[in-house]
Amino acid sequence: MTLIRLNRTILQTNRLLISRQYSSANEYDLVVIGGGPGGYVGAIKAAQLGLKTAIVEGRGKLGGTCLNVGCIPSKSLLHNSHYYHVASHEFKNRGINYDNLSVNLDQMMKQKEKSVTGLTAGVEMLMKKNKIDYHKGWGKLTSPNDVQISGLDGTQTTIKTKNVMIATGSEVAPFPGITIDEEAIVSSTGALSLKSIPEKMIVIGGGVIGLELGSVWSRLGAEVTVVEFNKAIGAGMDAELAKSFQKTLTKQGMKFKLSTKVISATKNADGKVDVVVEAAKGGEQQTLTVDVCLVAIGRNPYTKDLGLENVGVEMDKRGRIVTDHEFKTNVEGIRAIGDVITGPMLAHKAEEEGIAVAEYLVHGHGHVNYNAIPSVIYTWPEAAWVGLTEEQVKESGVAYKTGQFPFAANSRAKTIDDKDGFVKVIADAETDRILGAHIIGPGAGEMIAEAVIAIEYGASSEDLARTCHAHPTLSEAFKEACLATHDKPINF
């Protein structure tokens, strides 16, 4: 065993030396272009594995869209607006009396910015801790081994590297014919920083971003209408989950126009926005006048001005960088991860890919299981899922079984009076292996991790059904759903 370990150590050392044979005092083993979750996590892993690493980011702050104008600030507003909604709608029934409840929007925004500043500063500290050179500027490839940096201080420098990892993320997808001013007609960025609570708001797009930000302003008092071209909300989530999700959000006051397309959105003389809509299949047009219109129809890969054409990196028809299973492009030494390649545009997906690239460079192997990438919508209740939807399993032709358990029958959910939603588990009918899990309910975003682990390790519904869960906890609903899939639930 000692000899085997020694041989492994020698092999890993040789791989590391091979991977670094190009670098010298002024050259890097890896330069990461893009300082978002995928880029900075990949840079940290590469440095931990012994690679001389640099990261290039032109925003002026690390963390990318996620930390600066995406995941993090939106979760701050979602959390605090949820507190306000609970206080204004539930406190009296819970025996808590108050007077003069109101929203201090300026303070709420300050709290949001505090969380963003703290986290972005923390990422910069991690660069120093791991001895990663942080170049503040816009990176551009002039050759497969040269990255030109247009510094934020006006300087122009070029650094040499053996490998490049492109991790530049994505940008807001524009709506043809609609001009975003980030005041009345806003993207997700503008919706995070409105100066006042709108009386009426339209959200174009019923996906994750639209539902989360629409939920924020609905809780704070806006009349929010979501216009979605498809017949269901939720960005392709399980149909049963989507139906329950919409019902719950409607009960909270949000309105929905499904199978509806937006023709135009323009500011009128009063400073409001006239949004013209019609049925997706065509028909009579209707004009909806609102204070704010949020355009949330998705995101596009950010690949402009990277010099990809200079080195001949192959792109697909949707503007994504083409890679193989090791994240290699068609150009030797250049790899790409995250939103600029195929797959879901999720920060945690990009992080796993960044780590995998570092491992491929040093060890020759890496790991990302795309069947075990969870999705979460951080409304309340939350919606979360992983693996296949029931519709996808049906389409595959695999025989399957499902089990459900409602939070209304969960003791913890009942004691906190937060019992909307359910857990749904889908398993292979023959092997009982879990194929997918779908949750709508309190804490769904945390609970989905159990399903991710189950899918990662090929667990059966019986495996989880026989696993002891603490009582009383919300996670018992997941155990009960597995019991329902394998046999019968106990408490329903």
Side-chain angles (χ1 to χ4, degrees):
M1 289 299 292
T2 302
L3 183 60
I4 292 174
R5 289 195 189 102
L6 181 60
N7 287 336
R8 285 176 178 168
T9 301
I10 293 171
L11 179 60
Q12 290 175 359
T13 302
N14 286 339
R15 281 175 176 160
L16 182 57
L17 290 172
I18 291 169
S19 71
R20 293 195 61 171
Q21 63 185 359
Y22 186 94
S23 65
S24 67
N26 298 316
E27 296 165 334
Y28 293 99
D29 297 308
L30 175 65
V31 169
V32 180
I33 303 178
Y40 82 73
V41 168
I44 290 172
K45 189 63 178 179
Q48 289 175 343
L49 292 175
L51 299 184
K52 183 180 178 183
T53 306
I55 191 165
V56 182
E57 171 56 56
R59 187 186 294 270
K61 293 181 180 179
L62 293 167
T65 294
C66 178
L67 265 68
N68 289 279
V69 289
C71 322
I72 297 306
S74 65
K75 300 313 164 283
S76 174
L77 292 181
L78 280 159
H79 190 70
N80 291 328
S81 63
H82 174 60
Y83 277 168
Y84 176 74
H85 187 269
V86 170
S88 57
H89 290 81
E90 300 179 19
F91 268 15
K92 289 184 179 179
N93 289 335
R94 296 176 181 273
I96 304 171
N97 296 323
Y98 58 86
D99 294 311
N100 303 318
L101 180 70
S102 63
V103 175
N104 184 337
L105 190 59
D106 287 342
Q107 182 57 36
M108 192 175 287
M109 292 297 174
K110 287 177 182 178
Q111 203 280 333
K112 175 201 71 174
E113 291 304 319
K114 180 182 177 182
S115 65
V116 170
T117 301
L119 285 167
T120 54
V123 175
E124 189 163 346
M125 180 274 294
L126 289 172
M127 297 300 103
K128 294 177 181 177
K129 177 184 176 182
N130 289 280
K131 297 179 174 58
I132 298 166
D133 290 342
Y134 171 26
H135 297 269
K136 294 185 179 182
W138 301 101
K140 183 176 183 179
L141 292 165
T142 54
S143 83
N145 302 111
D146 293 281
V147 178
Q148 183 185 79
I149 302 170
S150 298
L152 298 183
D153 59 1
T155 60
Q156 290 275 347
T157 58
T158 297
I159 56 177
K160 285 192 169 292
T161 181
K162 180 173 175 57
N163 299 284
V164 173
M165 178 163 67
I166 300 170
T168 45
S170 58
E171 60 184 345
V172 172
F175 193 111
I178 295 180
T179 301
I180 291 175
D181 62 10
E182 299 298 15
E183 292 181 357
I185 303 176
V186 301
S187 69
S188 55
T189 301
L192 289 167
S193 301
L194 295 181
K195 295 178 174 61
S196 61
I197 300 169
E199 183 179 338
K200 292 185 178 182
M201 181 180 195
I202 274 186
V203 177
I204 303 176
V208 176
I209 296 170
L211 293 175
E212 287 187 350
L213 293 176
S215 181
V216 166
W217 295 107
S218 174
R219 294 168 183 172
L220 296 178
E223 180 185 304
V224 175
T225 301
V226 177
V227 180
E228 170 56 49
F229 184 82
N230 295 310
K231 63 181 180 180
I233 63 171
M237 66 167 62
D238 185 90
E240 196 170 7
L241 199 73
K243 184 178 180 180
S244 176
F245 192 26
Q246 183 182 339
K247 182 179 178 181
T248 301
L249 294 177
T250 299
K251 188 169 67 174
Q252 293 176 5
M254 293 179 69
K255 299 178 181 179
F256 295 89
K257 284 184 171 294
L258 305 182
S259 300
T260 301
K261 63 181 176 181
V262 173
I263 304 301
S264 64
T266 54
K267 288 181 70 172
N268 60 31
D270 297 325
K272 295 184 182 293
V273 183
D274 294 326
V275 182
V276 180
V277 301
E278 69 178 27
K281 294 181 179 180
E284 184 178 350
Q285 293 185 353
Q286 177 185 11
T287 299
L288 307 171
T289 301
V290 296
D291 302 285
V292 174
C293 174
L294 165 59
V295 179
I297 59 171
R299 299 182 66 82
N300 291 333
Y302 186 88
T303 55
K304 63 184 178 182
D305 300 325
L306 294 178
L308 300 180
E309 68 283 356
N310 295 336
V311 294
V313 171
E314 183 183 358
M315 313 285 285
D316 68 14
K317 293 180 180 179
R318 296 180 61 182
R320 298 173 300 195
I321 297 172
V322 177
T323 60
D324 64 12
H325 69 283
E326 294 184 9
F327 309 101
K328 292 179 179 178
T329 68
N330 62 308
V331 179
E332 182 69 26
I334 300 177
R335 307 196 190 212
I337 64 163
D339 291 1
V340 296
I341 69 172
T342 189
M345 289 184 170
L346 297 168
H348 45 280
K349 174 254 194 188
E351 290 177 355
E352 296 303 315
E353 292 174 338
I355 289 172
V357 166
E359 292 176 333
Y360 275 119
L361 289 174
V362 176
H363 301 310
H365 56 81
H367 166 80
V368 180
N369 181 357
Y370 290 101
N371 292 322
I373 303 290
S375 295
V376 183
I377 301 180
Y378 296 88
T379 50
W380 199 268
E382 293 176 342
W385 62 96
V386 66
L388 301 176
T389 65
E390 186 169 356
E391 293 72 36
Q392 289 171 328
V393 179
K394 280 182 181 178
E395 187 177 349
S396 73
V398 173
Y400 69 95
K401 54 187 178 179
T402 67
Q404 285 190 28
F405 190 81
F407 281 102
N410 174 266
S411 58
R412 182 67 184 275
K414 293 185 77 170
T415 57
I416 63 175
D417 196 23
D418 201 348
K419 51 189 184 295
D420 285 340
F422 59 90
V423 180
K424 175 179 179 179
V425 173
I426 306 170
D428 187 294
E430 182 178 352
T431 66
D432 194 36
R433 182 171 61 89
I434 294 175
L435 302 175
H438 309 271
I439 308 171
I440 177 171
E446 303 294 336
M447 200 182 308
I448 199 66
E450 182 171 3
V452 175
I453 293 170
I455 290 176
E456 181 66 43
Y457 287 95
S460 66
S461 66
E462 182 182 5
D463 289 332
L464 272 68
R466 292 186 177 277
T467 301
C468 182
H469 289 59
H471 175 79
T473 58
L474 296 170
S475 65
E476 287 180 288
F478 194 85
K479 173 188 173 77
E480 290 275 11
C482 289
L483 277 165
T485 306
H486 172 62
D487 187 13
K488 293 179 180 179
I490 299 298
N491 289 291
F492 184 68

